[in-house]
Amino acid sequence: VQLAESGGASVQIGGSLELSCSISGVTLSTYCMAWYRQRPGKEREEVVLINDLGESTYEVFAEGRFTASMDDAKNVLFLRMNSLTLEDTAMYYCAADLMSRSCVFDTWGQGTQVTVSP
């Protein structure tokens, strides 16, 4: 099973990006998934958690600006990010809970870099 993120880029403040996370080997929608990010010099932090019912829970900084969605047919998880700020500069990762069924993430992608500039 592999996760592969894409869509990271350099954008200006206020811009938008859509990240993608494709998964091979399992059916995405049956597992708890998440987007995480790691900002420079900071610990990795959760952005949004999507449970196995498809319900999303966002961190405060993401609420109202970021939207997670899933294309079941293509087995792809998306993260749409709007109104980007300098503080959103980070490596973004998708994660999957393939074993615990308790949203404990055991499978990670390699990350995709998002850089927001003035």
Side-chain angles (χ1 to χ4, degrees), residues 10-31:
S10 296
V11 296
Q12 291 187 316
I13 292 173
S16 298
L17 277 178
E18 183 170 78
L19 307 182
S20 301
C21 173
S22 62
I23 185 167
S24 59
V26 297
T27 301
L28 194 63
S29 61
T30 62
Y31 294 94

Side-chain angles (χ1 to χ4, degrees), residues 11-17 65 80-88 115-118:
V11 296
Q12 291 187 316
I13 292 173
S16 298
L17 277 178
R65 297 190 302 129
R80 176 70 180 180
M81 305 185 294
N82 297 323
S83 303
L84 287 164
T85 72
L86 295 176
E87 289 67 41
D88 295 318
T115 302
V116 184
S117 58

Side-chain angles (χ1 to χ4, degrees), residues 18-21 28 33 35 48 50 54 56 58 66-72 75-80:
E18 183 170 78
L19 307 182
S20 301
C21 173
L28 194 63
M33 302 287 298
W35 284 99
V48 57
I50 307 99
S56 297
Y58 296 88
F66 294 5
T67 304
S69 61
M70 198 176 293
D71 185 329
D72 292 344
N75 228 25
V76 178
L77 178 68
F78 298 99
L79 182 67
R80 176 70 180 180

Side-chain angles (χ1 to χ4, degrees), residues 21-66:
C21 173
S22 62
I23 185 167
S24 59
V26 297
T27 301
L28 194 63
S29 61
T30 62
Y31 294 94
C32 185
M33 302 287 298
W35 284 99
Y36 277 76
R37 71 182 187 183
Q38 187 164 19
R39 295 183 289 165
K42 303 287 188 180
E43 296 291 317
R44 187 170 58 191
E45 60 185 349
E46 188 174 285
V47 176
V48 57
L49 184 148
I50 307 99
N51 66 20
D52 57 0
L53 300 177
E55 300 162 333
S56 297
T57 303
Y58 296 88
E59 293 300 313
V60 171
F61 65 82
E63 189 76 53
R65 297 190 302 129
F66 294 5

